[in-house]
Amino acid sequence: MAAARPSGSWSGALCRLLLLTLAILIFASDACKNVTLYVPSKLDAEKLIGRVNLKECFTAANLIHSSDPDFQILEDGSVYTTNSILLSSEKRSFTILLSNTENQEKKKIFVFLEHQTKVQSDTAQNYTIYYSIRGPGVDQEPRNLFYVERDTGNLYCTRAVDREQYESFEIIAFATTPDGYTPELPLPLIIKIEDENDNYPIFTEETYTFTIFENCRVGTTVGQVCATDKDEPDTMHTRLKYSIIGQVPPSPTLFSMHPTTGVITTTSSQLDRELIDKYQLKIKVQDMDGQYFGLQTTSTCIINIDDVNDHLPTFTRTSYVASVEENTVDVEILRVTVEDKDLVNTANWRANYTILKGNENGNFKIVTDAKTNEGILCVVKPLNYEEKQQVILQIGVVNEAPFSREASSRSAMSTATVTVNVRDQDEGPECNPPIQTVRMSENAAVGTTSNGYKAYDPETRSSSGIRYKKLTDPTEWVTIDENTGSIRVFRSLDREAETIRNGIYNITVLASDQAGRTCTGTLGIILQDVNDNGPFIPKKTVIICKPTMSSAEIVAVDPDEPINGPPFDFSLESSTSDVQRMWRLNKINDTAARLSYQNDPAFGSYVVPITVRDRLGMSSVTSLDVALCDCITENDCTHRADPRIGGGGVQLGKWAILAILLGIALLFCILFTLVCGASGISKQPKVIPDDLAQQNLIVSNTEAPGDDKVYSANGFTTQTVGASAQGVCGTMGSGVKNGGQETIEMVKGGHQTLESCRGAGHHHTLDSCKGGHTEVDNCRYTYSEWHSFTQPRLGEKVYLCNQDENHKHAQDYVLTYNYEGRGSVAGSVGCCSERQEEDGLEFLDNLEPKFRTLAEACMKR
């Protein structure tokens, strides 16, 4: 381990070094910056002693040579010893020669070796200097690593230092005299620890595992390995080189490794999983760029060869033979096997079978057994021996995964031939076709016979020995002969019966042989139509609304076939002369006519007989009920009773009756409410309450100068000119003279008051300005009653207002001021108020919450 000489030595040593450098530059103009390496006195072989920055001197150098054979220079400037060296007290030096072989340019670097590091002060010539150091490695962790001789200033390292733990140390050197004087400033010393190649490169994994497909191309990347080295980065100590040093199996060599990146690639395209499915490589990584003295580590790399579908499945045989009985279904008749060299239980190995030829009727299918990979041939549709005794199939097989190689190189499908022999089976009678028909005329005579259902033996193609039985016969019209299957009319046939659909009557027949085997068929009896039904009019009720229509349309139908049906002929039955006089028929088309009235018949119901004939003369008479109505639509005539068409009762629905009942109940409730309200008002006593003055007389909010008034000590008289002396509803307001305004608010039981609206005239209204509800109390209080009640009280108030020392009115009794609008809702505070603390308390209803408690207390008083 070498310690770097401090770059901040005292001036004398620095001057000597500069002079030496200048001298070298004078003698060698092509030399670069000199380098001094501080090394121990004894150097072992192949030991790193330092590093020189070659790029700083000559970037383009491609040839490096040392003038001293005891030293070797690497590409990154690392200086190694080749032999053991013992340095003397004198300095040793050598030259590094750098050259470029292309342009013949050359440069030199002089390297000086010193084996002692020394701290020296320039003041040592004049003083006795003691040297000391402090800092990391001295009195800080790691402690006691460095020490300096007190008298000489020689700096020593006491033990080995690991660069991976401490890259450098920064210590402070001190120079002092024996008496403690410091002639020099403290000198910082930076000691850089040179790296030694003491760490092996290590792979990131003990075993690498990669997978690659077989038959891949040359140069395909398999994977990448990686290693790390704890030595100093960007040096030869961490310049790693990868290589493959072994392969199992050893040949052929199929892989290569990039020496710098560690990427493994293929060198051949002959990877075949079916031959070798796994390779094992032994790989090595070495530092010092792979030089022989570099440290190395090995690891294992396993390369698995993955399967591709490069082998087609092939049948183990080219032809197969199988047999099956006729009329059997869902049975396995054959298993075929294939060979495939690809990986078992993968899509490259699993087989898909198909039938290429011979299955045009869809009698067969082939599926794969998931466990054995065999092909299972099954019958899914019964075979008929009488039709075909042998079937030849061609089957093919492919893999689930597509074939990887080019289709032109070989066939992409293996084929085989399967011969299926059909075995005969005694099947019993065969009902073929399952539906057979015969023709018979309707209304055929009972006992008439006709051919019936025929079954046959498929082996003999004969019907002998087969017995027949009727399974279903909806109306029991026919019977069936047990031996021949022919039918016989048992009841009269009617083509127009409800059980007939499209003129065909179906019965079900069971055929059986002597062994009891059966088959079932259907016999359809086609009934040929006979003109046995006359046309008729299905709608027998006709409504004619006289105000809007003068006729009605009638339509006739015929159950027979069209050949026995229209065109129809309509006529009125002539037995009654009134019918001919009142009604008229006009033909519209082949099946309809128009019935219209004539001679203005009266409203009512009429019976009109009409004869309808088909094209062959078959006729029938239909009596129509014709109603002549005073209506707009036919529904009006149907739902409304009219005495002009014979009368009828009016019927109300349940909802109409319920509505009427609810209306009656509502009327009773209203009447009961009115009676109760009137009786309650009449029972109220007509008395004047004690608190009438308190509730009705409140000091006016507005005071204005009025007419002269005369007051007596024991009475209260009011002289008003032009005032109305009669209250409208028993509550009096004072008169107004000469346009003056005076308002008295009257309150009754907390309701809204009767207030006269201020105006120019001399009149009074019932709170017409407020627009609210006003309780008038039925005008119970006359003026005389009011005057007798308020006179003594107001007189007492006036008398008290005159009782001061000078027998003058109080200051707040009469005040003259101009009208300034509506007064405060709190009312007047004059002395004439009877109970002024409770007058005009309506504003208490609108107070803020914090005043409500006080307002409630005042109201209780």
Side-chain angles (χ1 to χ4, degrees):
M1 190 67 65
R5 184 176 180 89
S7 60
S9 179
W10 278 273
S11 58
L14 182 59
C15 291
R16 289 194 296 272
L17 181 59
L18 292 176
L19 290 176
L20 178 61
T21 303
L22 180 61
I24 295 175
L25 291 175
I26 292 174
F27 291 105
S29 60
D30 58 348
C32 298
K33 180 180 178 181
N34 297 335
V35 177
T36 301
L37 301 178
Y38 298 93
V39 297
S41 58
K42 184 179 180 181
L43 299 176
D44 297 329
E46 299 181 357
K47 190 73 173 180
L48 174 67
I49 63 174
R51 186 175 291 108
V52 179
N53 191 350
L54 303 181
K55 300 295 183 182
E56 184 180 0
C57 177
F58 192 12
T59 305
N62 55 17
L63 182 61
I64 305 172
H65 179 69
S66 173
S67 62
D68 190 337
D70 290 335
F71 301 96
Q72 180 184 8
I73 314 301
L74 301 184
E75 294 180 359
D76 65 342
S78 299
V79 181
Y80 281 83
T81 58
T82 57
N83 302 304
S84 299
I85 300 174
L86 182 62
L87 298 179
S88 62
S89 59
E90 298 180 357
K91 293 183 178 180
R92 183 169 179 173
S93 64
F94 63 91
T95 304
I96 300 175
L97 302 177
L98 304 175
S99 60
N100 189 328
T101 56
E102 296 179 358
N103 55 18
Q104 302 301 322
E105 184 179 358
K106 298 181 179 180
K107 289 191 178 182
K108 298 179 181 180
I109 300 177
F110 293 95
V111 180
F112 299 92
L113 302 180
E114 293 185 5
H115 68 278
Q116 197 172 49
T117 303
K118 187 174 184 180
V119 179
Q120 186 175 3
S121 175
D122 292 339
T123 61
Q125 299 175 359
N126 302 323
Y127 300 95
T128 300
I129 299 299
Y130 292 161
Y131 299 98
S132 62
I133 56 176
R134 294 180 183 176
V138 182
D139 55 354
Q140 300 177 18
E141 292 294 335
R143 297 177 181 274
N144 302 322
L145 180 61
F146 302 104
Y147 77 93
V148 65
E149 288 184 345
R150 188 189 68 173
D151 298 328
T152 63
N154 292 332
L155 183 62
Y156 296 94
C157 183
T158 60
R159 60 184 182 274
V161 184
D162 189 0
R163 189 208 64 84
E164 286 70 42
Q165 187 176 6
Y166 303 102
E167 293 186 359
S168 63
F169 296 90
E170 184 175 351
I171 62 178
I172 306 299
F174 299 92
T176 59
T177 60
D179 56 359
Y181 174 66
T182 303
E184 294 266 3
L185 293 175
L187 178 65
L189 300 178
I190 298 177
I191 301 175
K192 183 179 178 182
I193 308 303
E194 289 289 346
D195 185 39
E196 279 194 3
N197 192 19
D198 56 347
N199 289 281
Y200 285 81
I202 299 175
F203 281 103
T204 56
E205 298 181 19
E206 294 182 0
T207 301
Y208 291 90
T209 303
F210 302 111
T211 301
I212 189 173
F213 286 103
E214 62 177 330
N215 301 327
C216 62
R217 296 181 178 180
V218 176
T220 302
T221 299
V222 178
Q224 183 178 14
V225 298
C226 184
T228 59
D229 196 324
K230 294 182 180 180
D231 289 324
E232 186 175 0
D234 301 324
T235 64
M236 292 295 289
H237 299 164
T238 55
R239 186 174 296 179
L240 308 180
K241 183 166 288 187
Y242 302 90
S243 60
I244 299 175
I245 59 177
Q247 175 182 306
V248 178
S251 62
T253 301
L254 302 174
F255 306 97
S256 65
M257 177 178 285
H258 194 281
T260 303
T261 63
V263 175
I264 302 174
T265 56
T266 59
T267 58
S268 173
S269 61
Q270 302 303 316
L271 290 172
D272 191 350
R273 189 206 62 83
E274 287 72 35
L275 297 178
I276 301 174
D277 61 353
K278 181 173 66 174
Y279 292 87
Q280 181 173 324
L281 305 179
K282 186 176 182 181
I283 57 178
K284 179 188 74 173
V285 61
Q286 188 173 17
D287 60 13
M288 303 301 296
D289 202 18
Q291 298 189 61
Y292 69 93
F293 53 83
L295 303 178
Q296 64 181 15
T297 303
T298 60
S299 182
T300 302
C301 178
I302 297 176
I303 301 175
N304 296 314
I305 309 302
D306 204 355
D307 184 46
V308 297
N309 190 20
D310 56 344
H311 293 86
L312 287 173
T314 57
F315 287 102
T316 56
R317 296 169 56 184
T318 58
S319 63
Y320 299 87
V321 177
S323 63
V324 62
E325 282 190 354
E326 64 174 335
N327 299 324
T328 57
V329 67
D330 295 332
V331 294
E332 175 186 326
I333 63 173
L334 180 66
R335 280 180 174 256
V336 296
T337 58
V338 295
E339 292 180 348
D340 197 325
K341 296 181 181 179
D342 291 318
L343 188 61
V344 178
N345 294 325
T346 64
N348 301 329
W349 174 81
R350 287 189 288 270
N352 278 343
Y353 298 89
T354 183
I355 301 175
L356 301 177
K357 295 180 181 179
N359 193 33
E360 288 77 9
N361 295 328
N363 298 99
F364 304 92
K365 76 172 182 179
I366 187 168
V367 296
T368 304
D369 189 327
K371 295 182 178 180
T372 63
N373 211 31
E374 294 176 321
I376 305 174
L377 184 63
C378 303
V379 177
V380 295
K381 184 179 179 180
L383 296 167
N384 192 341
Y385 175 82
E386 288 73 28
E387 294 181 357
K388 185 176 289 187
Q389 291 79 36
Q390 188 180 74
V391 180
I392 298 177
L393 304 176
Q394 185 182 24
I395 59 176
V397 61
V398 294
N399 291 122
E400 289 184 0
F403 189 57
S404 61
R405 296 183 179 177
E406 296 182 359
S408 61
S409 62
R410 54 184 294 188
S411 175
M413 179 180 290
S414 174
T415 61
T417 301
V418 180
T419 301
V420 181
N421 296 316
V422 183
R423 300 193 301 269
D424 187 25
Q425 185 184 54
D426 190 2
E427 307 170 77
E430 181 176 328
C431 296
N432 191 20
I435 300 177
Q436 301 177 15
T437 59
V438 295
R439 291 182 176 271
M440 296 185 70
S441 297
E442 68 168 333
N443 298 331
V446 175
T448 304
T449 60
S450 176
N451 294 330
Y453 194 89
K454 291 295 182 180
Y456 61 92
D457 188 339
E459 282 78 18
T460 62
R461 310 302 297 178
S462 172
S463 299
S464 61
I466 297 178
R467 295 181 178 275
Y468 302 91
K469 179 181 178 182
K470 184 176 63 173
L471 291 181
T472 61
D473 184 1
T475 56
E476 300 292 337
W477 281 350
V478 297
T479 59
I480 188 169
D481 188 273
E482 182 180 7
N483 297 319
T484 63
S486 61
I487 60 174
R488 180 179 181 181
V489 177
F490 180 70
R491 290 189 178 91
S492 178
L493 305 178
D494 186 3
R495 180 184 169 279
E496 289 75 34
E498 295 181 357
T499 57
I500 303 300
R501 294 291 181 270
N502 299 321
I504 301 176
Y505 181 65
N506 293 321
I507 62 174
T508 305
V509 179
L510 177 68
S512 60
D513 61 4
Q514 295 178 354
R517 294 182 290 267
T518 62
C519 69
T520 303
T522 300
L523 178 63
I525 303 174
I526 302 175
L527 299 177
Q528 297 177 342
D529 186 41
V530 176
N531 191 18
D532 56 348
N533 294 281
F536 66 95
I537 301 172
K539 185 179 179 181
K540 300 182 182 303
T541 300
V542 177
I543 298 174
I544 299 177
C545 294
K546 287 188 66 177
T548 59
M549 53 193 297
S550 60
S551 63
E553 181 179 333
I554 56 177
V555 179
V557 295
D558 194 333
D560 295 325
E561 288 188 356
I563 193 172
N564 299 321
F568 299 142
D569 180 42
F570 296 86
S571 63
L572 294 171
E573 188 67 21
S574 60
S575 60
T576 305
S577 59
D578 292 341
V579 174
Q580 298 290 339
R581 181 176 56 82
M582 295 178 57
W583 306 99
R584 183 176 68 252
L585 277 174
N586 296 319
K587 187 174 181 180
I588 299 176
N589 51 37
D590 291 346
T591 60
R594 188 177 303 280
L595 177 65
S596 57
Y597 60 86
Q598 55 188 358
N599 299 325
D600 192 18
F603 292 108
S605 296
Y606 301 90
V607 177
V608 181
I610 298 178
T611 302
V612 184
R613 292 182 174 82
D614 59 19
R615 64 171 60 189
L616 300 180
M618 178 67 70
S619 65
S620 66
V621 178
T622 303
S623 295
L624 299 182
D625 294 329
V626 181
L628 290 180
C629 274
D630 183 9
C631 60
I632 303 301
T633 63
E634 294 184 6
N635 290 333
D636 295 341
C637 183
T638 303
H639 296 149
R640 186 181 65 187
D642 195 332
R644 290 176 289 186
I645 60 170
V650 177
Q651 296 182 355
L652 295 178
K654 58 181 180 179
W655 294 111
I657 297 174
L658 180 61
I660 293 173
L661 294 178
L662 290 176
I664 295 173
L666 181 60
L667 291 176
F668 273 108
C669 291
I670 296 174
L671 181 60
F672 181 75
T673 302
L674 294 176
V675 171
C676 291
S679 62
I681 294 174
S682 62
K683 291 180 181 180
Q684 293 180 1
K686 187 176 179 181
V687 295
I688 299 177
D690 294 337
D691 59 346
L692 181 62
Q694 174 184 340
Q695 295 186 1
N696 290 274
L697 185 59
I698 298 177
V699 177
S700 172
N701 293 332
T702 303
E703 299 182 7
D707 297 334
D708 294 338
K709 301 182 188 302
V710 179
Y711 303 98
S712 61
N714 56 359
F716 183 80
T717 60
T718 303
Q719 182 179 0
T720 304
V721 179
S724 174
Q726 185 177 2
V728 178
C729 287
T731 303
M732 289 295 299
S734 62
V736 180
K737 180 183 179 183
N738 297 331
Q741 300 181 5
E742 186 174 1
T743 302
I744 298 179
E745 295 182 359
M746 317 300 280
V747 182
K748 178 80 170 77
H751 290 76
Q752 294 181 0
T753 62
L754 303 178
E755 179 183 2
S756 63
C757 295
R758 288 182 287 270
H762 310 304
H763 62 277
H764 305 279
T765 62
L766 302 179
D767 199 11
S768 59
C769 295
K770 292 185 179 180
H773 170 69
T774 304
E775 182 179 344
V776 298
D777 206 8
N778 294 329
C779 304
R780 293 175 307 175
Y781 307 134
T782 62
Y783 174 74
S784 60
E785 292 173 343
W786 174 251
H787 185 273
S788 61
F789 181 79
T790 58
Q791 185 74 14
R793 290 169 173 77
L794 293 179
E796 183 180 358
K797 289 290 183 179
V798 174
Y799 177 75
L800 294 176
C801 288
N802 199 27
Q803 300 302 315
D804 60 352
E805 296 178 355
N806 300 322
H807 299 280
K808 293 182 179 180
H809 298 301
Q811 295 181 359
D812 61 347
Y813 175 62
V814 177
L815 296 177
T816 302
Y817 59 92
N818 294 327
Y819 175 68
E820 298 180 358
R822 189 177 184 85
S824 170
V825 296
S828 173
V829 296
C831 62
C832 291
S833 176
E834 181 181 1
R835 296 183 64 180
Q836 56 192 26
E837 66 276 10
E838 294 185 8
D839 291 340
L841 300 179
E842 295 86 354
F843 68 97
L844 294 176
D845 296 333
N846 302 318
L847 292 178
E848 295 181 358
K850 62 184 179 178
F851 294 107
R852 291 191 180 276
T853 303
L854 180 60
E856 292 174 0
C858 293
M859 292 296 292
K860 291 178 181 180
R861 292 179 56 188

